[in-house]
Amino acid sequence: MQSFIAHIGGGDFEPLLVIITIGITFAYLIRVRTLAVIGKRTSPLRIVSFVVGSSLILAVETTPIGHISEELLWVHMVQHIVMVDFAALLMVLGLTGRSEERRVGKE
């Protein structure tokens, strides 16, 4: 069995992934602030859930885990589990019906 330490290297920096993930998080936070201004506050637990979910995506892609996943299949599969199961679930739990609400025809 190969040594796990032998595969550790720098993280893979994917600028497009980082920009999109941070952009989505900022858009969410702007919507949360907008809802708070009109009196529809979002639970702090939901906000933390969404931010942690997006941070998990960045963590598994930009840390050495991203580099190791190119060489070891099992690490690559763990990366998928973290992104698809945990990060996605946390981000969805951070959403509310109010964050999706449209203000069509309301002045």
Side-chain angles (χ1 to χ4, degrees):
M1 184 170 186
Q2 294 178 339
S3 172
F4 184 72
I5 298 291
H7 295 280
I8 294 180
D12 289 335
F13 182 69
E14 300 282 343
L16 187 59
L17 175 80
V18 172
I19 291 169
I20 290 172
T21 306
I22 291 173
I24 288 170
T25 304
F26 278 132
Y28 173 80
L29 294 173
I30 289 169
R31 182 62 178 161
V32 166
R33 190 183 76 198
T34 303
L35 287 170
V37 167
I38 62 173
K40 297 180 178 181
R41 300 190 54 88
T42 303
S43 164
L45 189 57
R46 287 187 182 271
I47 297 168
V48 168
S49 177
F50 190 90
V51 172
V52 168
S54 61
S55 297
L56 274 175
I57 291 173
L58 289 177
V60 297
E61 284 292 331
T62 59
T63 62
I65 295 171
H67 175 76
I68 296 168
S69 72
E70 294 176 359
E71 299 179 24
L72 298 174
L73 179 63
W74 70 271
V75 177
H76 181 77
M77 299 316 296
V78 168
Q79 187 180 30
H80 280 276
I81 290 170
V82 169
M83 287 192 308
V84 175
D85 292 342
F86 300 129
L89 177 64
L90 287 171
M91 291 176 78
V92 168
L93 289 174
L95 298 176
T96 65
R98 291 182 296 214
S99 63
E100 303 296 317
E101 192 174 281
R102 300 270 186 214
R103 294 188 64 198
V104 178
K106 297 179 182 177
E107 301 282 332

